[in-house]
Amino acid sequence: MWDERYSTDDYAYGTTPNGFLADNVAALPKGRVLSLAEGEGRNAVFLATQGYAVTAVDASRVGLEKAGRLAEAHGVEIERLHADLAEFDPGEACWDGVVSIFCPLPSRLRKALHRKVVAALKPGGVFVLEAYTPAQLQHRTGGGSSADTMVTAAMLRDELAGLDFRHLRELEREVIEGTYHTGLGAVVQLIAVKPA
């Protein structure tokens, strides 16, 4: 499905970064950042332009190829990893930051991935996330049709035990990101730190 979505010349979710990430990039310590479900590269390329060493992981080879072209157009380099997040091992205590922007995984896989994220962050490392909540089903402005791939603040508190929550909020905001995220969205936003 993702290869098909990304197989056009247009960028499905645009070429500019997610607004929450862009507004809060200073929360990420300088260093190595892992971007989950990066797709066509808009967030990874933005982070690279801000001086981060970025690894973009995605299940779509087509998306990652476009991410490489976007990086080249911006004069930056990103590492691209083709992997299924269900099997991906981000390692232990090796990332200064991890970013998850609209990563719609089934809840069972998401919970497992979030446990891995907690382990993969270095002490003092930061996790930045924006995702749709189940209330998004009423808006139909992106995020698919399954509540199981959406998440609430309460779920994140549980799934990310071991992190200190600096910012955790559910809200409605205009999400204008390419063709597939356009209009009022019900989202949850998180900035969490692994204790040093």
Side-chain angles (χ1 to χ4, degrees):
M1 176 213 140
W2 293 107
D3 278 348
E4 185 178 336
R5 176 162 293 184
Y6 297 147
S7 64
T8 65
D9 289 337
D10 291 335
Y11 280 70
Y13 300 97
T15 57
T16 57
N18 167 264
F20 178 67
L21 176 62
D23 289 346
N24 293 283
V25 66
L28 289 165
K30 287 294 187 201
R32 297 182 68 219
V33 174
L34 174 67
S35 185
L36 302 169
E38 175 54 40
E40 299 164 303
R42 65 193 178 104
N43 296 310
V45 168
F46 165 71
L47 289 165
T49 68
Q50 303 300 303
Y52 293 91
V54 187
T55 298
V57 61
D58 201 274
S60 169
R61 289 188 192 279
V62 175
L64 289 171
E65 286 169 14
K66 289 173 80 174
R69 292 198 294 274
L70 189 63
E72 189 175 342
H74 282 80
V76 295
E77 290 186 10
I78 59 173
E79 181 182 7
R80 293 169 288 152
L81 284 180
H82 178 251
D84 182 341
L85 288 177
E87 296 153 12
F88 176 63
D89 179 7
E92 297 265 333
C94 55
W95 300 98
D96 298 287
V98 178
V99 171
S100 174
I101 303 296
F102 298 119
C103 175
L105 293 175
S107 59
R108 181 180 56 81
L109 297 182
R110 184 189 69 239
K111 290 172 187 175
L113 180 62
H114 283 169
R115 283 193 297 274
K116 292 178 186 177
V117 165
V118 173
L121 284 168
K122 292 179 182 176
V126 174
F127 185 34
V128 175
L129 171 146
E130 183 168 51
Y132 285 120
T133 70
Q136 174 63 11
L137 296 173
Q138 298 163 20
H139 296 301
R140 298 187 198 163
T141 54
S145 59
S146 171
D148 188 56
T149 63
M150 300 174 182
V151 66
T152 65
M155 291 175 193
L156 290 172
R157 276 197 185 281
D158 182 55
E159 293 172 17
L160 296 167
L163 299 185
D164 290 338
F165 297 90
R166 298 281 172 87
H167 175 94
L168 180 57
R169 181 175 171 220
E170 291 184 26
L171 68 152
E172 292 190 337
R173 75 170 186 91
E174 290 290 327
V175 181
I176 310 298
E177 298 178 355
T179 307
Y180 292 93
H181 288 173
T182 302
L184 188 65
V187 301
V188 59
Q189 298 174 336
L190 168 133
I191 301 172
V193 183
K194 187 169 183 175

